[in-house]
Each structure stands twice: as structure tokens, then as C-alpha cells.
Amino acid sequence: MDYRETLNLPQTAFKMKANLTQREPVTLKRWEKEYTHLEVALEMLHRGFTFLPPDLYKSKDCTYIPEGDGCLRLPFSSVGGLGQTVAETVVAARETAPFRTIDELTERTKLNTANINALKELGTLAGLPQSDQLTLFDL
């Protein structure tokens, strides 16, 4: 049954909101790609693989690294909001010198607050102090 005839929708002269007809194919393509990645990840979990979170000093920009028996280290680009370009800047910056603080990491890599929060949630920045400043409570 075609339900279009039963709906009472207003007739408007303007186009669809936010160019939906132009954006929809791009969005569907992105979802299809993400779905494929999720299918592969699920299959790997069923086969006994373990995914390790990104490591500030071990992870690559876009390549998974095998570690140990059945473990894969996630790349920086797997973190939500970190694209390939941002991931490459993190890898390039760590090659020059180790990061001492989160503030220094932010300054040298131009990561934004959302990126830093995502890395914190994954435990990538565990043990890295926020800044070099000492507080009265540190003494």
C-alpha cells in the first residue's frame, strides 16, 4: 500500500532542507564504509582477536599493529574525530621528542578539546600530566 496518499503534508515551494538530496548519497556511502569496518571488527572479535587502545608512543597514524598473540593496536585514525591528517601530525610530533604534558601535546599537534577528551577516554593519555605547573597539593 502506498501511504503517501493518506498523509496530509503541506505543499511548499522550497527545496528539501539543507540540500538533503545532494548530501544523502555521500552520507549513505560513508555509512556503508563504516558498516563494512564494523562487520570486519565483529568477525575478528568472534575469532578471538583483541583490540588494544591507541598508544601515544606505539600507534601509527592509519595502520593497525599486531601485538602479542591475537592483539591489534588501534591506529590514531580509529579514534572518533581524529582524521588521517590529525593522526599524521601526532605521529610526526612524537618523533621529534616525547610529550611531557597534555598541554604540550595539544600545542605541538593542534589537537582540539574533543580530540584530547576522546584520547583520555581510551586511556591513551594515562599518566601524562595536564601541565608542567606544580600545585600546592603536589608538594
Side-chain angles (χ1 to χ4, degrees), residues 13-102:
F14 55 86
K15 293 183 179 181
M16 286 187 152
K17 186 176 179 181
N19 295 323
L20 179 63
T21 55
Q22 287 80 25
R23 289 188 3 228
E24 186 176 28
V26 175
T27 303
L28 291 175
K29 194 172 191 178
R30 188 184 80 232
W31 286 350
E32 184 178 309
K33 183 179 176 184
E34 288 174 1
Y35 182 74
T36 303
H37 286 276
L38 291 173
E39 280 184 318
V40 171
L42 184 61
E43 179 67 26
M44 292 179 77
L45 289 172
H46 283 297
R47 292 178 183 235
F49 282 88
T50 303
F51 291 100
L52 302 172
D55 184 282
L56 197 54
Y57 297 105
K58 293 180 184 176
S59 291
K60 301 213 182 247
D61 51 0
C62 296
T63 308
Y64 291 82
I65 302 171
E67 284 189 22
D69 188 31
C71 295
L72 287 174
R73 176 77 57 191
L74 294 173
F76 288 114
S77 60
S78 68
V79 178
L82 267 75
Q84 182 176 352
T85 306
V86 175
E88 288 171 355
T89 61
V90 173
V91 172
R94 78 163 181 225
E95 289 175 358
T96 60
F99 301 110
R100 292 176 299 156
T101 64
I102 294 174

